[in-house]
Amino acid sequence: MLEQTAIKLKGIHKSFSNGWLKKSLVIKNLDLEIKNNEIFGYLGANGAGKTTTFKLMLGLIKPDKGEISFWGNPVSDLKTRALVGYLPEHPYFYSYLTAKEALEFYASLFDMDRALKKKRVGDLLDLVGLDHARGVQLRKFSRGMLQRIGIAQAMVNDPKLLILDEPMSGLDPMGRKDMRDIILNCRDQGKTIIFSSHIIADVEMICDRAGILAKGELQQIVAMDDPVTAGETSWEITCRGGQLNLSGLDRETDIKQVVRGSRNIISTRDQDLAGRIMEQVKEQGLDLISFASGRKSIEDIYIKSIDDGEDDHE
Ligand SMILES: Nc1ncnc2c1ncn2[C@@H]1O[C@H](COP(=O)(O)OP(=O)(O)O)[C@@H](O)[C@H]1O
Ligand SMILES: [Mg+2]
């Protein structure tokens, strides 16, 4: 019986030596728990310590102190580790293999009979949308296709948990969407996913929770469906055709209106008010261009953590 928590990190410190007697503390007192079957986004700027955290989780490097466990077992437990799939930040593939051959190669590293191997490779090519390219050599693959092979490779052993290091990096908007769909699909299959990114939108769109990391310290964990920790949602209404007359709403202080060229952008943190603004836009005959929502808190925390980080270099 697997327990509720998939990964648990407690009191992790990690330093690297950089030069004679010099050490830099890269991960500081990190506590983190990932629950079974959640999508956890690990958000942080370059150099925040995301990859280092993943390497620690996988036991590729050792913490100075602290404890890491998967479903209550230490990382050194090989049986447990076999339940974890990993997509490295810069995956390397034998470029002269076809997509199918590459996955068959990875499958051959595990104890699987031929029939299962064949089925698994077929299912994975399907899952990542590469069935049409099964016979194409990887050297002819685009960045997006290689990322998909990377995910498929991480899943070849049917792991319960996937650790994906920057799976969306270098992808165009369509590629990012495909990757999000693949991740959501994995979650629907009962898997737990932790992935890193430095782009807020990637994390916000699909995660159940997000952890914001800056300079090796977890700033905050935000649960997307929890109005308290998710903080204020801001609503932004963009329209054209004149400035919105706010007189019907003038007693409300939580409205900001800015004009950018022909566009008029009205924002608020109050959902009801957003609805009333939309009604006014319609009533006043303005053209609605977009209506969007975003979690202000994640952006605020993230931007603040990056600003704080930059101050240190001055
Ligand atoms: N093997 C290493 N030796 C020395 N410093 C390292 C090593 N690996 C990472 N670092 C440093 O640790 C910090 C965090 O790196 P990393 O975990 O790769 O960040 P991220 O993945 O968030 O971009 C960086 O300052 C990086 O230079
Ligand atoms: Mg990294």
Side-chain angles (χ1 to χ4, degrees), residues 185-198:
N185 211 326
C186 292
R187 201 255 311 266
D188 291 346
Q189 291 183 10
K191 303 197 186 303
T192 305
I193 300 114
I194 171 166
F195 75 93
S196 64
S197 175
H198 56 276

Side-chain angles (χ1 to χ4, degrees), residues 26-27 42-53 213-217:
V26 165
I27 299 290
Y42 203 38
L43 187 64
N46 283 335
K50 303 180 295 297
T51 299
T52 303
T53 307
L213 186 76
K215 293 189 293 165
E217 279 182 286

Side-chain angles (χ1 to χ4, degrees), residues 11-260:
I12 300 294
H13 287 262
K14 175 68 190 172
S15 56
F16 289 110
S17 57
N18 51 2
W20 178 243
L21 292 182
K22 264 184 150 175
K23 272 192 162 189
S24 57
L25 192 56
V26 165
I27 299 290
K28 291 161 213 163
N29 200 22
L30 180 63
D31 291 327
L32 183 61
E33 282 191 32
I34 313 290
K35 295 175 207 149
N36 278 326
N37 204 209
E38 77 172 332
I39 302 179
F40 189 92
Y42 203 38
L43 187 64
N46 283 335
K50 303 180 295 297
T51 299
T52 303
T53 307
F54 289 169
K55 287 183 179 170
L56 286 162
M57 285 176 175
L58 292 154
L60 298 173
I61 52 176
K62 300 249 172 306
D64 303 349
K65 59 179 186 187
E67 270 157 42
I68 302 168
S69 60
F70 291 100
W71 302 287
N73 301 312
V75 252
S76 53
D77 185 318
L78 289 181
K79 266 200 197 129
T80 308
R81 242 174 40 209
L83 298 173
V84 180
Y86 173 48
L87 171 70
E89 191 170 10
H90 304 290
Y92 174 79
F93 302 104
Y94 300 112
S95 58
Y96 284 89
L97 295 181
T98 65
K100 178 168 163 281
E101 287 166 350
L103 291 184
E104 280 171 352
F105 166 74
Y106 289 111
S108 71
L109 301 176
F110 295 97
D111 188 21
M112 260 183 250
D113 65 36
R114 275 176 70 122
L116 177 61
K117 195 164 94 176
K118 194 163 172 234
K119 182 176 183 321
R120 181 70 49 75
V121 169
D123 288 351
L124 285 174
L125 285 168
D126 229 22
L127 176 84
V128 299
L130 282 177
D131 199 41
H132 67 285
R134 55 182 17 234
V136 178
Q137 285 181 335
L138 299 185
R139 67 195 174 93
K140 295 184 183 146
F141 270 31
S142 66
R143 169 89 191 168
M145 290 163 90
L146 285 174
Q147 285 295 78
R148 291 172 200 220
I149 277 290
I151 295 250
Q153 163 276 125
M155 288 180 67
V156 93
N157 192 34
D158 196 23
K160 292 239 165 274
L161 169 80
L162 280 168
I163 297 177
L164 311 175
D165 200 353
E166 307 259 1
M168 283 112 174
S169 90
L171 302 184
D172 61 18
M174 268 315 285
R176 301 185 105 82
K177 183 182 181 309
D178 290 346
M179 191 53 72
R180 288 197 300 270
D181 288 344
I182 292 170
I183 292 173
L184 286 168
N185 211 326
C186 292
R187 201 255 311 266
D188 291 346
Q189 291 183 10
K191 303 197 186 303
T192 305
I193 300 114
I194 171 166
F195 75 93
S196 64
S197 175
H198 56 276
I199 312 267
I200 298 174
D202 289 339
V203 166
E204 209 178 39
M205 273 190 236
I206 55 169
C207 285
D208 299 302
R209 292 190 305 147
I212 301 162
L213 186 76
K215 293 189 293 165
E217 279 182 286
L218 200 54
Q219 307 294 311
Q220 194 158 332
I221 291 180
V222 180
M224 299 299 168
D225 62 356
D226 175 354
V228 180
T229 52
E232 292 152 302
T233 304
S234 69
W235 307 85
E236 200 173 271
I237 297 127
T238 308
C239 55
R240 208 164 30 199
Q243 199 160 338
L244 185 71
N245 179 354
L246 297 175
S247 58
L249 306 157
D250 65 357
R251 272 183 301 156
E252 307 287 351
T253 48
D254 182 19
I255 298 182
K256 273 189 213 141
Q257 174 155 229
V258 292
V259 178
R260 273 187 215 139

